Amino acid sequence: MAVEGCARPARSTQEASRLLGWDATIDDPASDSTKISAAIQRAVSRKVDAIALTSIDAAAVQGDIKSARDAGIAVTCNMCGNKDDLYESLIPALDANNKAGYLLGEFAFLEARKRFNSAPKFIVLTDPEFDTVKARVSGLKQFIDDCKAAGAGCEQVAESSFLAGEISTVAPGRVAQLARSNPRYNVLFAGFDAAMLFFSQGLQQAGLADSKKAFGISVDADVANTEMIRKGGFQAASIGFAFGRAGYGQVDNLNRIFSGQKPQDQGVTGKLVTAENAPASGGWDGDFDAVGLYKGLWKVS
C-alpha cells in the first residue's frame, strides 16, 4: 500500500465491493513474499468468498492460490502474471504492459529528436520481481531492436535491476552512479512510477536531473509523477492505467464468477500521458466516468 500504483486499485476494489454490500478488507503484505503467502492462507482459513490481489504474480504464490481455488474461493488479480491460469480474472491482460513499454519507446524516440536532435540512448531499470515490469521492459527492448533494425540510431547504453523494497533506500544512489558512468544516455526508463519518483530525486540530489540533457519515462501515471510531467520536470511521460476502473472491473468479474458466468475483458488499457495531455491536477485515472457506468450496471448508487 506504500506504492501508489498498488494502493489505488486495492482501494477501488474495496470501494466497489462495499457498494454491493460485500465485506471487503485490505491485507497489506508490503511486498514480502512470506507475508503474501500468510495473507492468502489467512483468507483461506477465514473461508472468504474471494481474494482479489494486486501486483502479485501467480508464479510467486502458486501453491497458496491452488489452496484457495481448491477451497472454492474465487481468485482474481490486477497487474499480474498468470502462470497456469491460476487467476480466474486478470486486469489488464499482461500484453498491455508489453504494449506500454513499446509505446514509451516510440515516445522517447520522438522526444529525444525534438529535445536533443538525437536518437534515444536508454538506461533501462527493471524490477525482476514482477511479470508486468518484465513485460514493459520486453516491449521497450523490442522497440529498441526495431529502431536499430531501421537504422534510426537507438541504443541501450546500460541496464540494471532493483527491488521494490529498495526504491526509497539504496536504489536511487545506484541509479545516480549508473547515470554518472554513462554520460551518453538521454532517456531513463524505470519499470513503475513509484520507483521513477525516487530515482529522479536521487538524480536531482546528485546534480544529474537536467531535463535539457535527459528525461525519464515510466508507467502508472501516479499523482507526483504526473505533476512532474505537467511542470516539465525530469519525467517526461508515463503510461497510465485507469486503476480506479480496474478495481471496479475486478469486482464486476467476481460478481460474474459468483453468478456462474465467465469473466469479461474489462477494457482497461494504457494511455500515454505527457505534458500535452496530462490532467490539470492529480494523476491520470481514465478519461470518462467508468465508475458511474458500473453503478448503473449493478443498479446501485
Side-chain angles (χ1 to χ4, degrees):
M1 294 296 287
V3 176
E4 185 182 329
C6 297
R8 277 192 287 152
R11 291 193 184 104
S12 68
T13 301
Q14 184 182 54
E15 175 185 293
S17 298
R18 289 176 173 175
L19 277 175
L20 295 177
W22 301 352
D23 178 17
T25 58
I26 293 176
D27 195 335
D28 180 13
S31 298
D32 184 314
S33 58
T34 301
K35 292 179 180 179
I36 293 170
S37 177
I40 296 173
Q41 291 301 329
R42 276 195 298 274
V44 172
S45 66
R46 288 173 53 202
K47 299 181 179 179
V48 301
D49 297 296
I51 301 172
L53 298 99
T54 293
S55 296
I56 298 172
D57 296 323
V61 284
Q62 53 188 318
D64 301 303
I65 300 172
K66 287 177 181 177
S67 295
R69 294 288 304 275
D70 290 344
I73 298 170
V75 188
T76 67
C77 200
N78 169 73
M79 277 295 174
C80 304
N82 194 13
K83 179 178 173 60
D84 298 332
D85 293 326
L86 288 171
Y87 292 132
E88 294 172 85
S89 166
L90 194 68
I91 301 174
L94 186 62
D95 185 56
N97 291 277
N98 191 284
K99 292 176 180 177
Y102 198 96
L103 181 56
L104 284 170
E106 292 177 312
F107 168 82
F109 179 84
L110 296 174
E111 189 70 9
R113 287 289 186 188
K114 183 172 72 174
R115 290 194 190 194
F116 317 127
N117 193 29
S118 168
K121 316 295 182 186
F122 294 92
I123 289 179
V124 179
L125 303 171
T126 183
D127 186 337
E129 300 167 286
F130 304 108
D131 284 352
T132 50
V133 175
K134 289 187 283 189
R136 295 164 190 173
V137 171
S138 178
L140 177 68
K141 289 184 175 181
Q142 183 61 58
F143 170 79
I144 295 171
D145 288 345
D146 290 348
C147 179
K148 286 180 178 179
C154 297
E155 292 182 49
Q156 177 182 308
V157 298
E159 181 174 9
S160 186
S161 62
F162 61 91
L163 301 177
E166 300 174 336
I167 63 173
S168 63
T169 56
V170 297
R174 294 206 307 263
V175 171
Q177 182 56 46
L178 192 64
R180 189 176 288 111
S181 300
N182 294 276
R184 293 176 55 248
Y185 102 96
N186 55 25
V187 182
L188 182 78
F189 170 89
F192 51 95
D193 269 0
M196 175 59 78
L197 182 62
F198 285 109
F199 297 166
S200 64
Q201 291 170 351
L203 290 171
Q204 186 173 10
Q205 291 171 3
L208 298 169
D210 186 350
S211 59
K212 295 179 181 179
K213 296 179 179 179
F215 59 85
I217 52 176
S218 187
V219 178
D220 282 345
D222 287 347
V223 172
N225 299 74
T226 306
E227 180 71 4
M228 193 179 351
I229 292 168
R230 259 193 306 271
K231 292 185 174 181
F234 180 76
Q235 187 168 348
S238 183
I239 300 293
F241 287 90
F243 286 135
R245 177 181 172 185
Y248 275 74
Q250 271 196 294
V251 170
D252 186 69
N253 274 341
L254 284 171
N255 208 21
R256 294 172 189 273
I257 292 168
F258 294 155
S259 301
Q261 302 174 24
K262 290 184 178 180
Q264 298 295 309
D265 180 351
Q266 296 290 329
V268 176
T269 57
K271 175 178 177 175
L272 179 68
V273 178
T274 68
E276 284 70 34
N277 68 351
S281 62
W284 183 83
D285 204 16
D287 289 328
F288 64 94
D289 182 19
V291 171
L293 295 176
Y294 280 114
K295 288 180 178 179
L297 177 67
W298 301 338
K299 296 180 173 58
V300 298
S301 58

